[in-house]
């Protein structure tokens, strides 16, 4: 499905068994980054040993693609399909993604800008409890506009329509390891690409940086109205920790931004751009999938494949 799907697709896999071809995991992870597709696994029934490589492959794929693994009974599938209908709306943007390895109570902050028509929070884990707090410090419940899209012993999905701009909080509690995803509906988003030299052309960039090498980042904002702007980009690990904070510089008269030279981390990471909307409210957007640096060799970009700069090419005589 991933090979034949369009870029930036949302793929839902319904299964009652662990993967039998988990040996293809690394190839799938590379393809996810190239296609920028999100994959959600809906596990119906008992899928056996969760330490089995076939099951862990599902978790790795979901984590890398900013997807999730849902555990349900077959009788609950209709409820998930209602969530799927909501999640497939156009103009969906990523706000944040966090993987927690243990059960605990944790509070997160995220920015809601004026262009967000709604946002959805999804938590998958053991007995998740989600509390949403608006920018005024008020707990948002069903009487104040919170919609429960799915309330299950292993999944909690809530939606807020027409949220007031400002800094919101999300309080999440779970009895074990869990994943948290927040998405919104907005026209404002971004494309990105990595390069070894500064450039103003996305066609000269790659979707993955080179491991251990100084790297430049080009960001192309989509539907960013004046005077809204992006100011910096953060390197975020899969647990939500900020590893680097890099200033962005705007090319005059365009929605292109470049980041100063940096070294990408060895582990998987997200890019989170931050700035302000046209009304001065903070704005944040995150890449749709996690990213990993690649070893030297032939680099595949969004638009084709290129040899690394500095490598000699054989010329036929």
């Amino acid at each position: 499905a991933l090979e034949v799907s369009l870029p930036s697709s949302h793929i839902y896999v319904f299964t009652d068994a662990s993967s039998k071809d988990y040996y293809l995991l690394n190839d799938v992870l590379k393809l996810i980054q190239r296609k920028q597709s999100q994959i959600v696994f809906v596990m119906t029934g008992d899928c056996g040993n969760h330490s089995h490589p076939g099951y862990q492959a599902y978790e790795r794929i979901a984590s890398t693609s900013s997807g999730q693994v849902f555990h349900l009974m077959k009788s609950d599938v209709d409820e998930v399909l209602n969530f799927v209908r909501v999640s497939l709306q156009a103009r969906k943007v990523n706000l944040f993604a966090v993987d927690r390895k243990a059960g605990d109570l944790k509070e997160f902050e995220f920015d809601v800008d004026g262009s967000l028509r709604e946002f959805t929070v999804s938590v998958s884990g053991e007995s998740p409890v989600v509390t949403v707090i608006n920018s005024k410090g008020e707990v948002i419940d069903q009487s104040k506009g919170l919609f429960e899209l799915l309330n299950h012993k292993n999944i909690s999905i809530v939606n807020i329509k027409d949220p007031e701009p400002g800094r919101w909080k999300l309080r999440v509690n779970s009895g074990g390891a869990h994943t948290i995803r927040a998405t919104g509906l907005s026209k404002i988003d971004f494309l990105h690409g990595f390069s070894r030299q500064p450039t103003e052309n996305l066609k000269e960039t790659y979707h993955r940086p080179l491991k251990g090498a100084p790297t430049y980042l080009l960001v192309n904002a989509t539907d960013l109205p004046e005077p809204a702007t992006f100011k910096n980009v953060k390197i975020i690990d899969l647990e939500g920790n900020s590893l680097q904070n890099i200033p962005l510089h705007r090319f005059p008269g365009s929605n292109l931004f470049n980041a100063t030279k940096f070294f990408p981390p060895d582990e998987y990471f997200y890019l989170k751009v931050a700035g302000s909307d046209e009304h001065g409210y903070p704005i944040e957007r995150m890449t749709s999938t996690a990213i990993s640096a690649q070893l030297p060799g032939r680099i595949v970009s969004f638009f084709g494949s290129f040899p690394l700069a500095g490598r000699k090419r054989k010329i036929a005589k």
Side-chain angles (χ1 to χ4, degrees), residues 144-156:
K144 295 182 179 179
L146 181 141
F147 295 89
E148 283 193 343
L149 300 181
L150 188 58
N151 187 1
H152 187 270
K153 65 178 181 179
N154 294 319
I155 311 166
S156 179

Side-chain angles (χ1 to χ4, degrees), residues 189-191 218-226 228-230 250-257:
D189 204 1
F190 72 101
L191 303 172
L218 183 66
V219 170
N220 183 11
T222 58
D223 291 306
L224 190 66
E226 292 287 352
T229 189
F230 290 150
R250 191 171 196 163
F251 290 102
S254 75
N255 276 339
L256 289 172
F257 302 78

Side-chain angles (χ1 to χ4, degrees), residues 231-233 245-249 258-260:
K231 299 176 182 178
N232 62 284
V233 57
N245 190 3
I246 307 166
L248 286 174
H249 305 280
N258 70 346
T260 53

Side-chain angles (χ1 to χ4, degrees), residues 16-35:
D16 60 0
S18 296
S19 172
K20 295 180 180 178
D21 50 3
Y22 54 84
Y23 56 89
L24 297 174
L25 175 61
N26 288 334
D27 293 333
V28 173
L29 297 181
K30 292 176 184 177
L31 189 56
I32 285 170
Q33 294 177 74
R34 181 161 63 86
K35 291 265 191 158

Side-chain angles (χ1 to χ4, degrees), residues 99-106 108 125-126 172-180 239:
D99 294 353
R100 301 288 296 170
K101 295 181 179 179
D104 56 8
L105 175 62
K106 184 78 173 178
F108 305 89
E126 182 183 340
V172 178
N173 196 4
S174 177
H178 54 286
T179 58
I180 308 166
E239 296 182 20

Side-chain angles (χ1 to χ4, degrees), residues 61-121:
I61 291 170
S63 180
T64 302
S65 69
S66 194
Q68 289 178 291
V69 179
F70 293 161
H71 291 274
L72 295 168
M73 300 304 293
K74 291 183 179 179
S75 58
D76 300 319
V77 169
D78 285 344
E79 293 183 72
V80 174
L81 291 177
N82 289 331
F83 164 65
V84 170
R85 294 185 188 99
V86 173
S87 68
L88 293 181
Q89 296 182 79
R91 298 291 189 176
K92 190 173 86 166
V93 297
N94 271 20
L95 301 178
F96 72 83
V98 176
D99 294 353
R100 301 288 296 170
K101 295 181 179 179
D104 56 8
L105 175 62
K106 184 78 173 178
E107 191 170 272
F108 305 89
E109 293 186 344
F110 63 101
D111 291 321
V112 172
D113 60 272
S115 75
L116 277 177
R117 291 157 42 200
E118 63 180 76
F119 68 82
T120 300
V121 176

